[in-house]
Amino acid sequence: MDTESTYSGYSYYSGRSRGSHRHGERSRDRHKSRSKDSRSEKSVTINTPPAEPLLGDSSVRGEQIQDDNWGETTTAVTGTSEHSLSQEDIVRITKDLEDSVGLDCRRYFTLTLAVILGLLVFLTPLAFLVLPHILWPEKLQSCGTACEGLFISVAFKLLILLLAVWALFFRPPRAGLPRVFVFRALLAVLVLVFVISYWLFYGVRILDSQDENYQGIVQYAVSLVDALLFIHYLAIVLLELRQLQPCFSVCVTRSTDGEMRQYNLGQLSIQRAALAILEHYYCDFPVHNPALLSASKSRAAKHLAGLKVYNVDGPGNNAATGLAHSQSRAMIAAAARRRDTSHNELYYEEAEHERRVRKRKARLVVAVEEAFTHIKHLQEEEQKKAPGDVMDPREAAQAIFPSMARALQKYLRTTKQQHCHSMESIQQHLAFCITNNMTPKAFLECYLTPGPTLQYSRDHWMARQWTLISEASVTSGLKDGTVFVLKSVDFSLVITSKKIPYIQMSEEYIDPKSHKFVLRLQSETSV
């Protein structure tokens, strides 16, 4: 008895020692691999604060299906998510910050140059008129009636030029482009060369000789203002009118969900076309919803999990190997048949999802209609109260929101929209609908149908920076077959341009007499 117990205890101890020895080897190997990784690549963990949920955890993507009593039986705990960043990512983030600072400096530098050039343009005609009175006033001839009329002409033309320049150039910038706008830079250089040429002629022919004909000096200043007005007209043609006629049809495709739109653009450079496309994107494309993409990925992973790989060349005799080989063949064939029937699973899964969406949509519609009916009763009761006791729309929205909150929460979770709407935004929209006496259908429209990107809060869609990727130079114009990419943080927009074909129309004349015919009736027929 003692021998058996001793032997069993020894066996147990030896098994524990072998297990601990293996565990020690694994821990040493893991420690070595971690030390190698730490020497080769540094990683940093960044904790990001959770977004504001609707009535629970908005980080839940909805891979698991909740029952109808989820809101009453489940406790949601929010936390921080961890994302590992390598040293290359940190360098890239630092470079992006430096690029952003460079863009800001370049924007202010360009604005400073524009202001200096504008002051030079507007002060030059005035300087042409004032300098003779300062340098040689005793030699100037008297200014007659025609000269005084030219003063009025210069004043009004400068005022018109000031308003025109303010309307065309001094507008808030819509975006920061990677390269200089070629036409605007060309116009700035043209104005600078033009003003310098006038100053050179003025210095040689008027300042040096101290011209006594003041009327000729005034006409010289008037000619400068007229030329500046013509340059401004050229700027309108190049910057505004040239791009109005559509010449290209661009196809914009979102890389994640394949959402597609078509737009017609005029003669634009690639970077200006990218800016126009982004302006259309925020108004036309539905908001990007990564939760729907994660659901499709989880479904694909579940289908692929049904396939298993077996070792058909394992150890053993030939008979056992042949038997294992035949069994593995049968298992693989069964897995292949199960894979072939996966479309049925997808069909029933989508049908079940649509049924659940319709069910929760019906509950939401009924709950919202009952809440708005209660609002009407409250309004009728408040009309009987004193003016100081009337409830404002914000308080009314907070009063009726709990009655529809659970149904709205379930619907948003089922349709994967819970991260797009916070409780505060829903209450603000509800108060807005109550203030403007809108119907329940008008309140529900933004939740039942995914709206454009601008409809949602800037925290959900505002991209810090778009990256333009193009093989051709971004300052070159659009051509037939031009392809470029606008890359954001979560997705990309792939743009393909096609030139609108030349349309040849011809006219064909039809003789009006060819449409005439004669109906001859016979008395023998029933007609």
Side-chain angles (χ1 to χ4, degrees), residues 61 254 256-261 280-293 412 415-421 445-463 466 490-491 493:
R61 295 295 185 186
R254 193 156 56 188
T256 52
D257 54 358
E259 193 72 28
M260 185 183 300
R261 294 291 187 276
H280 287 296
Y281 168 78
Y282 286 118
C283 298
D284 295 344
F285 275 72
V287 65
H288 182 255
N289 194 349
L292 297 176
L293 303 176
L412 293 179
T415 55
K416 307 296 189 304
Q417 301 183 62
Q418 70 276 12
H419 65 285
C420 298
H421 304 279
E445 186 63 25
C446 62
Y447 306 110
L448 301 181
T449 304
T453 306
L454 280 176
Q455 178 180 327
Y456 300 90
S457 175
R458 296 172 64 92
D459 298 334
H460 297 294
W461 59 262
M462 187 61 183
W466 289 86
D490 300 327
F491 58 91
L493 298 178

Side-chain angles (χ1 to χ4, degrees), residues 271-284:
Q271 62 177 0
R272 302 289 295 181
L275 177 58
I277 288 170
L278 287 178
E279 292 174 351
H280 287 296
Y281 168 78
Y282 286 118
C283 298
D284 295 344

Side-chain angles (χ1 to χ4, degrees), residues 1-11:
M1 185 67 181
D2 297 334
T3 304
E4 293 177 358
S5 62
T6 304
Y7 180 76
S8 62
Y10 174 76
S11 300

Side-chain angles (χ1 to χ4, degrees), residues 403-417:
S403 62
M404 68 175 73
R406 184 169 173 269
L408 181 58
Q409 176 197 21
K410 287 190 174 184
Y411 178 79
L412 293 179
R413 288 188 178 275
T414 304
T415 55
K416 307 296 189 304
Q417 301 183 62

Side-chain angles (χ1 to χ4, degrees), residues 197-213:
S197 301
Y198 262 77
W199 268 111
L200 291 176
F201 187 86
Y202 185 82
V204 173
R205 299 299 300 270
I206 298 177
L207 292 181
D208 290 346
S209 62
Q210 293 186 354
D211 192 0
E212 299 177 358
N213 186 10

Side-chain angles (χ1 to χ4, degrees), residues 442-507:
F443 168 75
L444 289 172
E445 186 63 25
C446 62
Y447 306 110
L448 301 181
T449 304
T453 306
L454 280 176
Q455 178 180 327
Y456 300 90
S457 175
R458 296 172 64 92
D459 298 334
H460 297 294
W461 59 262
M462 187 61 183
R464 177 178 173 272
Q465 186 177 5
W466 289 86
T467 303
L468 177 59
I469 303 174
S470 174
E471 294 183 358
S473 176
V474 295
T475 56
S476 61
L478 286 177
K479 298 179 182 179
D480 188 15
T482 301
V483 179
F484 58 94
V485 178
L486 287 169
K487 187 176 181 181
S488 181
V489 179
D490 300 327
F491 58 91
S492 301
L493 298 178
V494 182
I495 297 96
T496 306
S497 66
K498 294 292 182 181
K499 189 174 183 180
I500 297 177
Y502 177 77
I503 301 173
Q504 178 68 39
M505 299 180 65
S506 60
E507 180 184 3

Side-chain angles (χ1 to χ4, degrees), residues 62-108:
E63 287 83 358
Q64 298 180 355
I65 300 174
Q66 292 103 0
D67 57 354
D68 293 341
N69 296 324
W70 182 91
E72 297 178 352
T73 59
T74 304
T75 302
V77 180
T78 60
T80 58
S81 60
E82 296 182 355
H83 303 282
S84 297
L85 295 178
S86 63
Q87 187 70 22
E88 297 177 355
D89 296 333
I90 296 176
V91 173
R92 191 180 302 111
I93 292 173
T94 306
K95 184 177 181 299
D96 292 340
L97 291 176
E98 293 177 355
D99 292 341
S100 65
V101 174
L103 288 174
D104 293 337
C105 293
R106 187 177 66 180
R107 183 178 65 183
Y108 290 121

Side-chain angles (χ1 to χ4, degrees), residues 21 65 125 128 176 198 344 349 433 523:
H21 179 67
I65 300 174
F128 287 171
Y198 262 77
N344 291 329
E349 182 179 353
C433 293
S523 60

